[in-house]
Amino acid sequence: MNETFKALADPTRRQILRLLRKGDLTAGEIAEHFNMTKPSISHHLNLLKQARLVMSERQGQYIVYSLNTTVVQEVLRWLMEISDTPNSKE
């Protein structure tokens, strides 16, 4: 889970996840939303893939990225567990 939190620590990667929440996108479509080079976007996408937050699938000459909701749900579940404070009466 350390890779997941490392990936989430960067605002650009969080914005990529927000974009993918709306639907699958190619790297070029993702890059259109940022003022940075395509190699920089590829670097961010690779880190998100290593953290298993996104998945990629080759479709012809393009690679399409999608949000891996399973891992996102795992992270949310973990955050809910640690934020659940025990009742002081117990």
Side-chain angles (χ1 to χ4, degrees):
M1 194 171 291
N2 287 341
E3 286 183 352
T4 302
F5 287 112
K6 180 180 175 184
L8 291 171
D10 184 85
T12 299
R13 292 191 284 273
R14 291 193 306 267
Q15 182 61 30
I16 291 171
L17 294 175
R18 284 186 200 99
L19 291 170
L20 291 174
R21 189 181 75 194
K22 298 174 186 174
D24 299 351
L25 297 169
T26 65
E29 291 169 330
I30 293 168
E32 291 173 3
H33 292 88
F34 297 93
N35 187 22
M36 63 179 63
T37 65
K38 288 185 181 183
S40 293
I41 292 294
S42 291
H43 173 73
H44 287 294
L45 288 168
N46 283 330
L47 290 173
L48 288 168
K49 280 175 45 178
Q50 289 173 12
R52 301 180 319 136
L53 289 164
V54 299
M55 299 178 292
S56 63
E57 179 183 338
R58 180 166 290 282
Q59 294 181 2
Q61 65 181 8
Y62 299 102
I63 297 176
V64 177
Y65 293 88
S66 60
L67 187 63
N68 185 354
T69 55
T70 302
V71 173
V72 173
Q73 289 171 352
E74 287 175 16
V75 170
L76 288 173
R77 192 170 22 258
W78 183 81
L79 288 171
M80 295 290 285
E81 287 174 7
I82 66 165
S83 67
D84 186 23
T85 57
N87 189 333
S88 60
K89 294 179 183 177
E90 293 178 12

